[in-house]
Amino acid sequence: MDTATVILTIASIVTGKVCLLVGLWLRLRWRTRHEHVQREHLTSLTRSIVQGGQGEVVEQRPDGHSVRIKITRSSGEKNAA
């Protein structure tokens, strides 16, 4: 094997590994951002329920299924009367 073939082979292997790592990094970055947004949403939902409000969570899944949860907190005064 000549030098050009060896260099080309090594460059191809290194480029493939770099592309794989960049793809994994981008996927991790997207996943982290998605979880951060979801956490902020759930935190705000929890705060609104604690303050006597109501909350609703609607989750649409890629397979067509959906989950809908509605939470209403009644005040203690209404229950006592």
Side-chain angles (χ1 to χ4, degrees):
M1 283 175 49
D2 61 343
T3 307
T5 306
V6 172
I7 291 174
L8 183 61
T9 303
I10 292 172
S12 297
I13 292 171
V14 169
T15 302
K17 299 289 182 179
V18 168
C19 288
L20 177 67
L21 287 175
V22 168
L24 288 172
W25 177 75
L26 288 173
R27 183 176 179 199
L28 178 63
R29 185 175 172 208
W30 178 85
R31 179 75 180 217
T32 303
R33 179 65 185 147
H34 176 73
E35 289 179 0
H36 178 74
V37 169
Q38 187 177 22
R39 184 186 65 206
E40 285 181 355
H41 173 69
L42 290 175
T43 301
S44 68
L45 179 66
T46 304
R47 283 187 185 134
S48 72
I49 293 171
V50 168
Q51 295 171 353
Q54 63 181 9
E56 185 171 351
V57 177
V58 179
E59 180 181 338
Q60 297 287 338
R61 297 191 179 174
D63 62 357
H65 290 88
S66 65
V67 176
R68 182 177 179 185
I69 301 171
K70 186 173 184 178
I71 303 169
T72 306
R73 182 176 181 208
S74 59
S75 65
E77 295 174 8
K78 290 181 182 178
N79 292 337

